[in-house]
Amino acid sequence: MNKILIIEDEESIADLEKDYLELSGFEVVIAGRGDEGLEEALNEDFDLVILDLMLPGMDGFEICRRIREKKDFPILVVSAKRDDIDKIRGLGLGADDYMTKPFSPSELVARVKAHLARYERLVGAGQKANELIEIRGLKIDKTARRVWVDGEEKSFTTKEFDLLTFLAENPNHVFSKEELFRKVWNMESIGDIATVTVHIKKIREKVEFDTSNPQYIETIWGKGYRFKI
Ligand code: CA
C-alpha cells in the first residue's frame, strides 16, 4: 500500500485530503508542523509528500530543499498563494507538481496517482535495487513490503510488517513493549501496549515453525523481545 505524508497546518484541509486519499486506498499520515513533517519525511518510508508552503516550525521551501537532498519520491506542493508557487518553481527546489488552493480533492487524488505511477515506473526500471533482509529462512523485502518464510510468501498487516522489520533490523537487542510501541506505532497513537503482544503472537504464527520454541523472536521474560540472529 502506498504511504503518503501530508505536511499541512490547516487541519480542515489536511483532514479533507486524508479522507479522499484513504478512500482511494492510500495510507496517510498528517504532520501539522513543518519541522515535524521534515523529520517524518526523512525517517519514515513514504511514497509521496503533499507539502503546504506556509507552515509553523519550518516553511515548505526549506522542507522541499532538505527532502531533495536525501529522497527522490514525488513532492506535490500546495499553496493558497500563486506567488509562492511561482517562487518555488523558480527556485528549482525539485518539487514534482504544484496546486493552488482551493483545489478539488478528486483532482488531488488524480495527480497523486499519476505521480506515483510515474515514480514506480522509474524505480521499477531498475534504478534502485530493493532493500532486502535475509536471516536464515526469513526474507524481508523492505521496498516491496513482502515477506517469505522458507520460500513461501506470507501476508502481513502494516504494523506486523513494521514490527517484524524493526526487530530484524536490530537483532540481538532486547526491546521492551513500551519501546516497541513507541518505535513502531506513531508517537501520537493512543493505544494499549498490549497490542505489541498481540502483534508478536500473530507474527510468530506466520514465521515460526514452532511458536512455543521461537527461532526468530524470543521473549525475554520481564524485559521484552529480542530478534535472534
Ligand atoms: Ca499553511
Side-chain angles (χ1 to χ4, degrees):
M1 187 193 291
N2 286 122
K3 213 170 147 187
I4 294 171
L5 175 64
I6 298 173
I7 310 178
E8 170 66 70
D9 60 327
E10 281 169 71
E11 221 180 302
S12 57
I13 294 180
D15 287 343
L16 182 71
E17 292 173 356
K18 183 172 192 270
D19 288 348
Y20 270 83
L21 290 165
E22 283 180 346
L23 279 173
S24 301
F26 297 108
E27 190 183 337
V28 180
V29 173
I30 296 174
R33 288 178 53 90
D35 43 359
E36 289 165 9
L38 176 67
E39 207 189 313
E40 289 258 9
L42 296 181
N43 297 316
E44 303 296 322
D45 261 353
F46 287 101
D47 300 295
L48 183 143
V49 169
I50 297 171
L51 177 64
D52 181 30
L53 289 179
M54 292 303 117
L55 294 159
M58 182 185 290
D59 70 37
F61 296 91
E62 180 70 10
I63 295 170
C64 192
R65 191 180 62 74
R66 294 191 36 190
I67 291 176
R68 270 295 168 265
E69 288 173 358
K70 299 255 169 66
K71 302 274 186 176
D72 61 356
F73 51 63
I75 302 175
L76 214 160
V77 167
V78 295
S79 177
K81 290 190 190 161
R82 185 73 238 170
D83 287 357
D84 281 341
I85 293 208
D86 291 341
K87 192 170 150 200
I88 198 165
R89 260 183 210 272
L91 287 170
L93 294 177
D96 296 86
D97 205 353
Y98 311 87
M99 293 182 85
T100 313
K101 291 182 204 169
F103 46 78
S104 84
S106 46
E107 168 73 11
L108 176 77
V109 170
R111 292 213 199 177
V112 163
K113 284 183 176 166
H115 283 287
L116 283 173
R118 198 183 122 257
Y119 180 62
E120 273 158 17
R121 273 201 304 279
L122 289 175
V123 172
Q127 294 203 340
K128 277 197 269 172
N130 284 15
E131 210 180 325
L132 298 176
I133 303 168
E134 289 193 74
I135 298 163
R136 298 188 294 276
L138 179 68
K139 182 168 120 183
I140 302 170
D141 182 335
K142 281 188 69 183
T143 316
R145 297 182 68 90
R146 296 170 73 184
V147 179
W148 292 263
V149 181
D150 298 326
E152 189 188 335
E153 185 166 9
K154 305 275 176 168
S155 79
F156 286 77
T157 65
T158 303
K159 290 301 173 200
E160 285 166 10
F161 180 89
D162 292 345
L163 181 57
L164 174 65
T165 305
F166 177 77
L167 287 166
E169 283 184 314
N170 297 281
N172 291 335
H173 184 123
V174 182
F175 293 98
S176 68
K177 285 178 202 168
E178 289 80 3
E179 281 175 300
L180 292 173
F181 189 70
R182 265 204 314 278
K183 302 264 187 204
V184 175
W185 278 260
N186 291 333
M187 297 285 286
E188 68 270 21
S189 287
I190 296 167
D192 185 348
I193 60 159
T195 192
V196 176
T197 317
V198 174
H199 279 74
I200 293 278
K201 183 170 177 280
K202 295 211 168 121
I203 292 169
R204 279 184 177 147
E205 283 165 5
K206 294 171 194 179
V207 306
E208 299 289 356
F209 175 70
D210 175 4
T211 52
S212 60
N213 181 24
Q215 300 303 301
Y216 296 107
I217 303 172
E218 294 177 295
T219 301
I220 311 298
W221 294 109
K223 301 279 183 206
Y225 300 101
R226 174 172 65 193
F227 193 99
K228 193 156 64 174
I229 200 159

